Structures are given as C-alpha cells and as structure tokens.
Amino acid sequence: MGERLAGEAGAGAAKPLSVSGAMALAKGALEGVVVRLVGEVSEVSNKPGYKAVYFTVKDRCASLPCMMWNNRFQAAGVALRVGQLVELTGRFTLYAPKGRMNFDVFSLALAGEGDLRLKVAELARKLEAEGLMDPARKRPLPAYPDVIGLVTSPRGAAVHDVLRTLRRRFPLARVLLAGVAVEGATAPAGLVEGMRQVVVAGAEVVLVVRGGGSFEDLMPFNDERLARTISRCPVPVVTGIGHEPDTSIADMVADVRASTPTAAAEAVSPARESLEGHFAARARTLSACAGRAIERAGAEVRRCATRPLFCDAQLLFATEAQTLDLAADRLFRAIPANLERDRLQVARQRERLARAMPAAVEREGARIARCRERLAACGGALVPRFSQQAAVAAARLHDLSPLAVLGRGYAIARTPEGAVVKSVEGVSAGDAVDVSVADGVLVCRVEAARRIDTEMIEWEEES
C-alpha cells in the first residue's frame, strides 16, 4: 500500500488532484483499515428519523467521532450513555462533502465495568418486577434484639467496626458471626450459607456487611441467588455494603439498607443514651401513674371510713338482731300454747282408744278362735297322708343306705383323704387304707393288689 500511495503521489506531482479525488484517495486508504478499540463515550446523538447513531469516544489524549447504522446499533442491544466505557470494532471512513473523518462501527459492546453494570441493571429490573424491592414487603427491625447475626469476612475492617459499635451501643446483645468470603466466585454461595447458619442458630436480625471496594469487588452482592435468599429470610436483613455511593442489589432487596457497616450496626442497636432517656421517661410515667393510683385509693378509703357502718360496728347486724329478737319472742309465746293444745288432743285420742279397745279385742279373739279350729281340722286330715309318704321314703332310704350293705357283710375301702377306692389301680403296695365294716373302721396297709377277671365272674353269674 505504501508503494501504491508513493506512486500515486508521484503521479499527482505531475498532475494535481481535485479535492474530490484527494478525498476519494484518502477514503480508499482508510476504509481498508479495520480495528478494535476501547474508549469512553463523551457525546451521543440518537435522534428519531436518523439512519445512524452518532457518538464520540475519547481517552486522555484524543477523541474519535463514530457513527453506527441503526440496524447494527439495534442488534448490539446497548443503550449508549455518556461516561460508558465501550469496545468498538469498525473501520475509518471519510464523509467527503464535509471533509470529516468518522469511525464506521460494525459492533458495539460495553467494556469492563460497563458490561457488569448493564447486567446488574437488568437483574435489578427483573427482581423489581417480581416485587422483591417493594417497600410494603420490607419488615420492621426488632427494637431490642437479643441475638444479632453478622455475615461478613472475619479478616476485614468491617467486622471490627460492627462489633465495636454493637459493644458500645448495646452490649446486652449476643452476636453470631458467620465468617465468609466476600469476594470471588464462591462468595455468593458462602454468603447464602452464612445467613442460613445464623438464622438456624436463633438470630433475630441479620447484618450482611463488607467494606468498600471497586464495582467488581462488590459484584458478589449483586448475585441473584443472594438477593432471593435475603427476600425469603424469615428475619429482617440489614445490609451495609461499601460506602455511601455504593448500592448493590442486596441493598435493594434488604429490609434496611445502611450506607456503611457501622451504620448497619447502629440501625439494629439502640443507643445507650436513648435507652437511658427512654427508661427515665418510663420511670417518670410509672411514678406518676402509681402516685395517682395511690391518691385515688386513699380518697376511696377516706370516703369509706366516713360511712356509719365503719363508725359503729353494731349497725352491720342491727336489722338481723332485731328480727331474731322478734322471732324469739313469738316462739316463746307460741310453744306453751302449742303444748297445751297437743296435750288435750292426746287425752282425747286416749279416751277414744280406751272406748274402742274392748270391742276390737273381743272381735279379734273370736276370729282367732275360728281360725284355730279350722287349722286343727285341716291338720288332722293332712298328717295321715304325709305319715304314709314318710314311711315309704324311709323304707327306700333304708334299702339304699350303705350301712345296710355293710350290715350284710360288705366293706368299703377309703384312702386317708376319704376317697373311695374303686379299683386296684387307685392304691399301691404300702399305701394305708381305712376299711369300713358294719360296726367300725379297720386301719389297714396294702401289701399287694390282684385284679379280678370280671368277665369270668359275669359268665359264672349268667351260668
């Protein structure tokens, strides 16, 4: 290309070029150069009706006007704003009518922090649309938390700032520290696990804090999983991430966003001075209420003390005592009269009974005599019949009596326990038996036992 330009320059020395020719020569030379560059956007012109978007990128020493056709700009999906750091790919070109050089942009992308900010902004819009940043969802902080969870790096300055602030303002609180990494790819997972652990351990409020840093350093707090964990946390979450200008997605979804870790510690702990003032005010209120209650009670006691009942104890039972006296007087008058009336009535009943008794006794005596005669007549007829039945039963009883059997020469063998021995199998040699006969009992001992052939005896009896 250098030789071509030199040749054309030599030819041009013989014949001067027109302005259009010179611009065409320069344009052809520039459009052959395709480069990729990085710069900061300093101006943007994206007006309706234009076929292209015009903007300027710069660095410390130079600036470059750029243009990008609308179809390419829309395909890039980047909303250009002044101050963004962008990465461009394109070629240099000349606009001949104005003699102006432009950079024809083929592709456009945010560079470095700009790309990260775009992703964070998109995630923030997504979470906001889901309602995670709705102020109505945020919960109030406990006034006097007994247990405070702290999730941060155990080696940074933030943990010391928080602990020092809590120790100074509210030393009664117990702090549960979950030491986790706050930078790097694994930091979001560690922050989520740290929050879970302090909540399980009983934290009433959770602090998620870290010191300042660059936008890239604070990226773990823009993690979607961490944001959703904060929104679903069963206890309020307070964030203190970076410094005052730094705002992360974790700050947006937290119940309270503090500007610094120290401010986060102050948000969850009441100041000792405010507590003393609060207690003093409550003490004054309590004292005043107690004084008024005592004064009212004293007035009531004094009012009751003026009642006649408390001046003369006899008034309490005066009516009842008079009623009792009247009743006793009536009773004393009524008893003698009633006794006389009852005595007279008893005398009359005695006279009536004396008059009625002889006739009744005579009637009952005659009736009893008649019953006696009938009973004697019936008894005489019944005795012979029952005497005959008793004689027949006695004869049958005598025939069945074991004593009659014994009287005919038979005997009954019994064991010492009184059981009748019915078979030779019921005793063994050496056993004691009692043998009952007609006139007594023989005490015997078995020497041997012999079985009788009952079939032979039956045969002999039949024969």
Side-chain angles (χ1 to χ4, degrees):
M1 180 182 295
E3 293 177 354
R4 183 171 62 85
L5 291 175
E8 292 176 355
K15 184 180 179 180
L17 295 174
S18 64
V19 174
S20 300
M23 295 297 294
L25 180 63
K27 182 176 180 179
L30 290 174
E31 288 180 349
V33 180
V34 178
V35 296
R36 186 175 65 178
L37 58 89
V38 174
E40 179 184 346
V41 179
S42 60
E43 295 177 346
V44 178
S45 177
N46 184 11
K47 296 181 180 179
Y50 279 19
K51 305 298 182 183
V53 177
Y54 299 93
F55 57 96
T56 303
V57 294
K58 67 176 183 177
D59 58 14
R60 292 183 179 180
C61 301
S63 62
L64 177 64
C66 304
M67 57 85 62
M68 189 174 187
W69 299 110
N70 281 336
N71 58 340
R72 294 177 181 174
F73 180 74
Q74 293 172 1
V78 177
L80 279 178
R81 293 190 300 274
V82 175
Q84 288 180 330
L85 189 66
V86 294
E87 181 177 327
L88 309 176
T89 301
R91 63 184 178 183
F92 293 96
T93 185
L94 286 176
Y95 181 59
K98 294 292 184 178
R100 181 183 301 169
M101 183 184 70
N102 287 325
F103 187 71
D104 186 6
V105 180
F106 300 157
S107 63
L108 168 66
L110 294 176
E113 183 178 316
D115 188 30
L116 294 178
R117 290 187 183 274
L118 178 62
K119 294 178 180 179
V120 170
E122 292 175 353
L123 178 59
R125 286 192 294 271
K126 173 184 174 182
L127 298 180
E128 185 178 10
E130 295 180 11
L132 270 65
M133 302 177 187
D134 186 2
R137 186 196 60 79
K138 300 180 183 296
R139 294 157 295 187
L141 302 181
Y144 307 107
D146 292 330
V147 183
I148 300 174
L150 176 58
V151 182
T152 186
S153 171
R155 293 181 294 272
V159 64
H160 299 291
D161 294 341
V162 171
L163 293 177
R164 184 168 51 252
T165 302
L166 293 177
R167 193 161 47 243
R168 173 176 54 83
R169 290 172 59 88
F170 196 53
L172 297 178
R174 183 164 61 96
V175 180
L176 301 176
L177 173 61
V180 299
V182 293
E183 292 185 18
T186 61
L191 291 167
V192 170
E193 180 63 19
M195 290 182 59
R196 189 186 71 83
Q197 291 293 341
V198 297
V199 170
V200 169
E204 301 174 20
V205 63
V206 178
L207 298 179
V208 180
V209 301
R210 72 148 287 163
S214 64
F215 187 80
E216 289 82 358
D217 294 337
L218 301 180
M219 278 304 293
F221 297 91
N222 294 315
D223 183 75
E224 181 176 1
R225 180 187 174 193
L226 176 60
R228 295 188 183 278
T229 300
I230 293 175
S231 66
R232 293 194 300 264
C233 186
V235 299
V237 178
V238 179
T239 56
I241 302 167
H243 300 298
E244 178 64 37
D246 299 322
T247 301
S248 63
I249 292 180
D251 291 322
M252 299 176 187
V253 299
D255 296 289
V256 174
R257 184 256 176 182
S259 58
T260 62
T262 300
E266 292 176 349
V268 300
S269 59
R272 180 177 298 179
E273 296 78 9
S274 64
L275 284 178
E276 292 176 353
H278 178 72
F279 290 152
R282 289 298 179 92
R284 289 191 297 271
T285 303
L286 181 61
S287 177
C289 292
R292 287 193 295 270
I294 293 174
E295 184 178 353
R296 287 195 300 270
E300 183 67 18
V301 170
R302 290 190 295 272
R303 185 178 64 82
C304 292
T306 60
R307 294 182 178 179
L309 173 63
F310 295 102
C311 297
D312 185 3
Q314 299 295 331
L315 294 177
L316 182 62
F317 303 105
T319 303
E320 289 77 7
Q322 292 176 5
T323 303
L324 183 61
D325 291 341
L326 293 175
D329 183 62
R330 291 176 60 190
L331 184 61
F332 290 148
R333 290 196 304 268
I335 287 178
N338 290 339
L339 289 177
E340 182 63 22
R341 186 173 59 251
D342 293 343
R343 187 182 63 79
L344 295 175
Q345 186 176 0
V346 168
R348 287 194 298 271
Q349 295 293 338
R350 183 183 295 110
E351 293 175 357
R352 291 178 59 189
L353 183 60
R355 289 194 300 269
M357 183 64 71
V361 169
E362 185 177 355
R363 286 195 303 273
E364 290 299 322
R367 189 175 64 83
I368 291 172
R370 289 194 299 272
C371 290
R372 184 184 297 111
E373 293 175 357
R374 291 177 60 190
L375 181 60
C378 292
L382 291 175
V383 169
R385 185 178 62 186
F386 285 107
S387 296
Q388 184 180 0
Q389 291 178 357
V392 173
R396 293 185 61 189
L397 182 61
H398 182 267
D399 293 339
L400 297 175
S401 174
L403 297 178
V405 177
L406 294 178
R408 294 197 297 270
Y410 291 94
I412 300 175
R414 290 184 176 87
T415 62
E417 291 79 13
V420 177
V421 179
K422 298 180 180 180
S423 172
V424 295
E425 296 178 353
V427 294
S428 304
D431 290 350
V433 295
D434 296 335
V435 179
S436 300
V437 294
D439 57 352
V441 178
L442 302 178
V443 179
C444 306
R445 186 172 299 280
V446 178
E447 294 183 355
R450 293 191 302 272
R451 179 177 293 279
I452 300 174
D453 191 351
T454 57
E455 294 182 356
M456 180 61 70
I457 293 175
E458 292 175 357
W459 178 78
E460 290 178 353
E461 292 177 353
E462 291 176 358
S463 299

